[in-house]
Amino acid sequence: MSKKTKPWGGRFREATNEQVERFTASLHYDRRLFRYDIDGSIAHAKMLAHQDIITQEESGAIVKGLKGILKDIEEGRFTFSDEDEDIHMAVEKALIEKIGEVGGKLHTGRSRNDQVALSVRMYAREEIRQIGAALERLKNTLAGLARAEKSTIVPSYTHLQKAQPVLLGHYFLAYWEMFHRDADRLNDCLHRVNRMPLGAAALAGTSLPIDRSFVARLLRFPQVTANSMDTVSDRDYVAEIIFVLALIMMHMSRLCEDMILWSTDEFRYLEISDAFTTGSSIMPQKKNPDVAELIRGKTGRVYGALTTILTILKGLPMTYNRDLQEDKEPLFDAIDTVKASLDILAGMLEGVTFNRDRMKAEAGLGYSTATDAAEYLVRRGVPFREAHGIIGRLVAYCIGAKRTLSEITLEEYRRFHPAFDEDIFQAISVESSVNARESAGGTAERNILKKLSEIEEI
Ligand code: ARG
């Protein structure tokens, strides 16, 4: 582009170095913002006429021209030129080409600094809505699994050592809670994203009689941003969104890790469907959980995006600096990654089949109901610490005798404490173990059903 065709060409005598043009360009990625740039400009042009800063005819011509450009882009007729620095310049240049000099009135009372902020905020709030909807779909899948597996008994783990039997429905509802918090966090950050920045201009506002609230109303922003300097340099909302996305990835990654582990030959708790697994090019017997592994792996890119944006922001002097152009690629990549992962994870989970017999059998091994035996004594007046010691010695005895808690006799139990009765065998069964845990938030099936009916009411 020659110096004359640059919007800021006036004070320059030399053309921009070509390498600099390539280095500073963002069009190849920010073109995805075209709709928001154009909608924002249409609202701005309408406001300029409403405030008599330009005439109704001028505004009408600008709006018509912009709508034509939108259509051209949507229908693939628009040719993006390498000469354009970013989407905002490309649209403005096309407008002037289309409607002539009057197109040059669009940039009245605004700058690219607030214009970029407007497009990113509009893009972000739309994506937040879409990710919210994808989270709802995943939560529904998890609630469906919880209902289907409400009485399936599975071992639970701490330190990846077998802990206590739980219901598989309870496990899925644990993930439901995580994604529910994520949806809540996303909604919360929407309040801060949803502020209208246009009119901050370069950084200090404008001397022209603009009406920022008018633009906000047209673009359905509940509020305008408060301080013009903050407005052009603020990217807190980008960091905040990426942080929420990083947590969503982390939650998906943990769920995937369990699915990977539980599908191994060593666990054999579940099988992921053929449609969501891949084979090996050399080992014919293999069926690999690549989808789950990739979600786990892609978590790294979203964490990377968070580190990127935080690092970009940390040393910036007030106010706008070109560094801020680097906010978009991490944001776009994090959003694309989370959307793709949420969608495919829901699909993968729907095709998982569970090996219920094996999970139940495993849940009973490893003295997993020892706590139930201790609580049995507690109910008979034995202090918990003492009961813990008694059952600990009993478990050691069983290990020595190579028998489980249900394979020793009542007489043997009584050797450890006289309070044991015939009903101890019932108390240490995996079924009573899970269903006895009726404390608020505990694994009992009654709690699962209660939670599921609450979920259905939301
Ligand atoms: N593409 C740039 C960005 O995303 C546009 C802003 C340029 N503003 C400026 N004063 N050079 O930040």
Side-chain angles (χ1 to χ4, degrees):
M1 198 192 270
S2 83
K3 72 186 173 71
K4 290 204 186 57
T5 52
K6 288 273 195 228
W8 35 260
R11 65 104 67 214
F12 286 78
R13 273 185 285 154
E14 250 186 276
T16 319
N17 173 302
E18 264 182 40
Q19 205 184 347
V20 172
E21 297 229 320
R22 279 197 303 278
F23 189 71
T24 55
S26 54
L27 181 64
H28 55 286
Y29 56 83
D30 66 20
R31 59 207 267 179
R32 76 158 77 185
L33 298 175
F34 73 89
R35 185 181 309 282
Y36 308 109
D37 178 73
I38 292 174
D39 286 349
S41 289
I42 289 175
H44 183 66
K46 286 182 177 166
M47 181 277 290
L48 291 175
H50 185 258
Q51 298 298 100
D52 290 326
I53 300 170
I54 63 174
T55 67
Q56 287 294 346
E57 292 67 44
E58 289 167 337
S59 171
I62 291 171
V63 170
K64 190 161 170 256
L66 287 169
K67 285 184 176 164
I69 294 169
L70 180 61
K71 210 154 183 274
D72 288 346
I73 301 178
E74 279 173 349
E75 291 169 9
R77 277 192 307 272
F78 191 90
T79 36
F80 287 99
S81 149
D82 285 346
E83 292 192 345
D84 294 320
E85 196 176 295
D86 61 21
I87 185 63
H88 317 287
M89 307 266 255
V91 170
E92 192 183 335
K93 193 180 85 185
L95 179 69
I96 294 169
E97 273 166 20
K98 212 175 176 96
I99 66 168
E101 253 181 18
V102 62
K105 293 206 170 188
L106 172 62
H107 212 53
T108 309
R110 74 174 189 189
S111 108
R112 237 180 333 144
N113 298 346
D114 53 344
Q115 190 184 352
V116 172
L118 176 63
S119 295
V120 174
R121 284 174 182 268
M122 288 173 74
Y123 161 81
R125 73 177 177 180
E126 172 55 29
E127 294 296 331
I128 286 176
R129 286 194 186 109
Q130 290 185 22
I131 293 169
L135 277 173
E136 280 314 304
R137 282 198 296 280
L138 180 59
K139 279 167 60 190
N140 283 339
T141 301
L142 290 166
L145 285 165
R147 185 169 287 288
E149 307 303 332
K150 64 180 191 308
S151 37
T152 305
I153 295 173
V154 67
S156 69
Y157 300 84
T158 60
H159 314 271
L160 206 50
Q161 303 289 321
K162 212 168 266 170
Q164 294 169 335
V166 291
L167 290 166
L168 188 53
H170 193 55
Y171 168 90
F172 283 120
L173 286 178
Y175 277 97
W176 187 94
E177 293 292 339
M178 295 180 220
F179 294 114
H180 184 62
R181 284 198 298 275
D182 291 334
D184 193 43
R185 260 188 286 268
L186 208 51
N187 257 330
D188 186 61
C189 91
L190 185 60
H191 298 305
R192 286 172 292 281
V193 171
N194 216 2
R195 302 271 162 100
M196 209 293 294
L198 207 65
L203 79 154
T206 173
S207 61
L208 298 166
I210 60 168
D211 182 349
R212 299 184 59 208
S213 300
F214 184 93
V215 178
R217 274 197 301 282
L218 287 184
L219 297 175
R220 294 186 311 282
F221 279 91
Q223 250 179 306
V224 300
T225 55
N227 178 297
S228 61
M229 294 178 80
D230 178 41
T231 299
V232 296
S233 69
D234 172 29
R235 293 294 184 276
D236 293 1
Y237 53 94
V238 175
E240 223 181 311
I241 295 168
I242 300 178
F243 170 69
V244 177
L245 298 178
L247 285 192
I248 295 175
M249 286 307 295
M250 180 268 284
H251 290 149
M252 285 194 279
S253 182
R254 292 185 62 186
L255 177 53
C256 285
E257 170 59 19
D258 281 342
M259 298 298 109
I260 293 165
L261 197 62
W262 291 5
S263 69
T264 58
D265 192 46
E266 287 71 13
F267 273 81
R268 277 182 287 119
Y269 288 179
L270 56 84
E271 195 176 331
I272 304 173
S273 71
D274 284 0
F276 284 85
T277 45
T278 56
S280 155
S281 57
I282 175 166
M283 297 168 282
Q285 85 284 10
K286 293 276 277 179
K287 184 168 154 178
N288 297 326
D290 294 36
V291 170
E293 291 170 288
L294 275 170
I295 293 174
R296 191 178 59 188
K298 282 174 190 288
T299 304
R301 338 165 41 123
V302 180
Y303 285 9
L306 183 59
T307 306
T308 303
I309 187 67
L310 290 174
T311 311
I312 289 167
L313 296 175
K314 82 174 266 290
L316 289 187
M318 282 289 266
T319 54
Y320 179 86
N321 299 273
R322 193 60 178 266
D323 316 45
L324 290 173
Q325 178 168 292
E326 290 287 312
D327 65 345
K328 284 177 256 331
E329 281 176 298
L331 178 65
F332 295 168
D333 190 65
I335 285 175
D336 293 346
T337 304
V338 166
K339 279 165 81 177
S341 304
L342 282 171
D343 276 350
I344 202 160
L345 179 58
M348 186 189 91
L349 288 174
E350 276 154 21
V352 169
T353 46
F354 300 98
N355 191 345
R356 299 191 181 100
D357 293 340
R358 182 168 161 81
M359 287 192 287
K360 184 175 171 184
E362 284 295 317
L365 299 181
Y367 306 95
S368 64
T369 56
T371 318
D372 298 273
E375 288 178 1
Y376 176 96
L377 289 179
V378 167
R379 278 194 295 277
R380 275 154 187 75
V382 181
F384 180 75
R385 273 289 153 241
E386 201 183 309
H388 187 284
I390 293 165
I391 304 300
R393 287 190 291 280
L394 180 69
V395 166
Y397 170 80
C398 289
I399 292 172
K402 289 199 170 57
R403 282 186 290 165
T404 67
L405 287 176
S406 49
E407 284 165 356
I408 54 170
T409 64
L410 181 58
E411 197 265 315
E412 286 170 300
Y413 268 102
R414 285 202 173 133
R415 269 189 241 153
F416 289 84
H417 201 281
F420 282 116
D421 258 317
E422 199 56 54
D423 57 354
I424 179 62
F425 295 104
Q426 173 65 23
I428 57 152
S429 74
V430 286
E431 286 88 354
S432 16
S433 169
V434 293
N435 284 316
R437 292 196 156 65
E438 281 197 328
S439 54
T443 189
E445 188 170 331
R446 238 179 59 171
N447 285 349
I448 297 179
L449 291 172
K450 185 161 156 266
K451 181 69 195 184
L452 284 172
S453 67
E454 280 166 24
I455 290 173
E456 272 153 25
E457 274 165 29
I458 295 177

